[in-house]
Amino acid sequence: MARSTRWTRQREAVLEAIQQAKKHLTAQEIYHRVRQRLPGIAYGTVYNSLAYLREAGLVREVKLGDGPVLYDKRTDRHDHLCCRRCGVVLDYKVPHLEQLLKRVRRETDFQVESAHVLFEGLCPDCQRSRDEEEQ
Amino acid sequence: MARSTRWTRQREAVLEAIQQAKKHLTAQEIYHRVRQRLPGIAYGTVYNSLAYLREAGLVREVKLGDGPVLYDKRTDRHDHLCCRRCGVVLDYKVPHLEQLLKRVRRETDFQVESAHVLFEGLCPDCQRSRDEEEQ
DNA sequence: ATGGATGCAAACAGTTTGCAACGAC
DNA sequence: GTCGTTGCAAACTGTTTGCATCCAT
C-alpha cells in the first residue's frame, strides 16, 4: 500500500509518454522515450512511476499473456484485439458485458467483479501479407 | 517448428501429473510432482515436455496475466474465473461466444480467430473470509 | 546407428528490491 | 527539515538455450 503523494518530473514525463503515444507501450519503450527528456531517469523509476500512475487511475495495464505488460492511456473498461502474427494491439469494447457478468454471478458461486476479453486473429496488414504468400 | 516424435517416460509422467491434478498446475508444481516418480528429471525437460504436449493438443496453457503459466488437462475452448484474493482458478465456458466473434469480425478489420475471457472477483471462501473481517 | 530428447547449467527477459543521496512538500 | 522518491545495481521469477550424453526408434 504505497501512500504516494509527490508529483515529480519523472512521473509527469512517464505519464506524458503514455498519453502522447499512438499505441500501447511497454515499460522499455516508455523508458527510452522518457530518456530523451530526462536522460538520467532509471528503469526502476519508470516502474515506480507506472505503479503510481496505475494506482492513481491515470493509466491502465494491459496484460496479453505473452510478452511484457503494456500501458494504456485509455482508463475506461475495454478489451483488446491482438494480432497473432505481428503482435499489434487494438482496442475493442465488448458490448453489454454487464449482462454477461450478471449471468456468471448467477451461474457460479464467484462474486465476479470484472472481466477482460482478449481476441486473437490476424490484423488487416497480416491478412494481406498472408494472402500474397499463398499466391 | 519442432518435429517431435518420441514418446518418453518424461513426457508421459508430465502428462499424467497434469491429468491427475485437481487444479491447474504451474511448471514448478509439475516439476515437483513428476520428481517423485522420476527423481532425475530436469526443469528444462518439464518445459520441453509441456511444449510438446501443448503442440500435440494434449494439454492447454492458461495465461492469467499475473504469475506463471498454468497447465490445464481440459483442452476444449473455455474461460476462467480467478479469485483476486487467493488466486484460485475455476473453469467457466462463456456461452454463445461464436456469436460475439462474428460480431467483432463484422465491426473490425481483424480476422478474429479466438477469444479468451478472464473473470475476476472473489471465490466463495474469500467472500466468507472478508465478511468475517468486516464484522 | 541415428538424431531427437535428456540433464545440467548458464543465459535470458521482465520486473522488483535495497540503499544512500536527493528534492518536493 | 522530513521523508517520499530517485538512481544505481543487484536480486529475483519464470522460462529458454547450449551442449555433451543418452535412449526411442
Side-chain angles (χ1 to χ4, degrees):
Chain A
M1 292 279 128
R3 175 131 338 197
S4 292
T5 51
R6 297 185 186 168
W7 187 247
T8 61
R9 277 169 299 145
Q10 288 84 347
R11 290 175 177 182
E12 183 178 26
V14 168
L15 178 58
E16 287 192 1
I18 295 168
Q19 289 182 334
Q20 288 169 4
K22 289 174 189 130
K23 59 168 191 135
H24 304 98
L25 299 180
T26 65
Q28 186 177 188
E29 289 168 330
I30 293 164
Y31 171 76
H32 288 302
R33 292 184 188 204
V34 170
R35 274 216 141 221
Q36 314 206 343
R37 260 180 64 188
L38 297 175
I41 197 173
Y43 245 111
T45 302
V46 170
Y47 279 105
N48 180 328
S49 300
L50 290 169
Y52 167 80
L53 295 169
R54 175 174 44 73
E55 283 168 30
L58 295 169
V59 304
R60 187 176 260 256
E61 289 186 343
V62 180
K63 294 167 183 171
L64 297 180
D66 278 315
V69 175
L70 302 179
Y71 291 88
D72 193 341
K73 59 190 157 195
R74 185 170 164 185
T75 55
D76 65 312
R77 203 217 71 77
H78 64 281
D79 309 284
H80 294 95
L81 288 85
C82 181
C83 178
R84 68 163 160 80
R85 196 163 167 281
C86 73
V88 70
V89 178
L90 258 74
D91 291 343
Y92 177 84
K93 191 163 194 166
V94 169
H96 315 305
L97 197 82
E98 193 50 47
Q99 285 183 15
L100 177 58
L101 292 188
K102 278 182 191 155
R103 178 175 188 151
V104 181
R105 283 185 204 113
R106 207 187 315 129
E107 294 181 359
T108 75
D109 295 329
F110 255 64
Q111 185 176 310
V112 177
E113 296 163 347
S114 63
H116 305 275
V117 189
L118 177 62
F119 298 95
E120 286 181 303
L122 285 178
C123 71
D125 284 354
C126 288
Q127 289 171 46
R128 246 171 270 126
S129 308
R130 209 197 42 176
D131 291 346
E132 285 164 17
E133 284 164 15
E134 283 179 357
Q135 279 167 12
Chain B
M1 292 289 121
R3 172 127 346 191
S4 291
T5 51
R6 297 185 187 170
W7 187 247
T8 62
R9 276 166 303 145
Q10 289 84 346
R11 291 175 178 182
E12 184 178 26
V14 168
L15 177 59
E16 288 192 0
I18 295 168
Q19 289 182 333
Q20 289 169 4
K22 287 173 189 131
K23 58 167 192 134
H24 305 96
L25 299 179
T26 65
Q28 186 178 187
E29 289 169 328
I30 294 165
Y31 171 76
H32 289 302
R33 294 185 186 205
V34 170
R35 276 218 140 216
Q36 315 206 346
R37 261 180 63 187
L38 298 175
I41 197 173
Y43 246 110
T45 302
V46 171
Y47 278 105
N48 181 330
S49 301
L50 290 169
Y52 168 80
L53 294 169
R54 176 176 43 74
E55 283 167 30
L58 295 169
V59 304
R60 187 176 261 256
E61 290 186 343
V62 179
K63 295 169 183 170
L64 297 181
D66 277 314
V69 174
L70 302 178
Y71 291 87
D72 194 341
K73 60 190 155 196
R74 185 170 164 184
T75 55
D76 65 313
R77 204 218 70 78
H78 64 281
D79 308 285
H80 294 95
L81 288 85
C82 181
C83 178
R84 68 163 158 81
R85 196 164 166 280
C86 72
V88 70
V89 178
L90 258 74
D91 290 345
Y92 177 85
K93 192 163 192 166
V94 169
H96 315 305
L97 197 83
E98 193 50 47
Q99 285 183 18
L100 177 59
L101 291 187
K102 276 181 191 155
R103 177 174 187 154
V104 181
R105 283 185 203 112
R106 208 187 315 128
E107 293 181 0
T108 74
D109 295 330
F110 255 65
Q111 185 176 312
V112 177
E113 296 163 349
S114 63
H116 305 275
V117 188
L118 178 62
F119 299 94
E120 286 180 304
L122 284 179
C123 72
D125 283 354
C126 287
Q127 289 171 48
R128 246 171 271 128
S129 309
R130 207 197 45 176
D131 292 345
E132 286 164 18
E133 284 165 16
E134 284 178 357
Q135 281 167 10

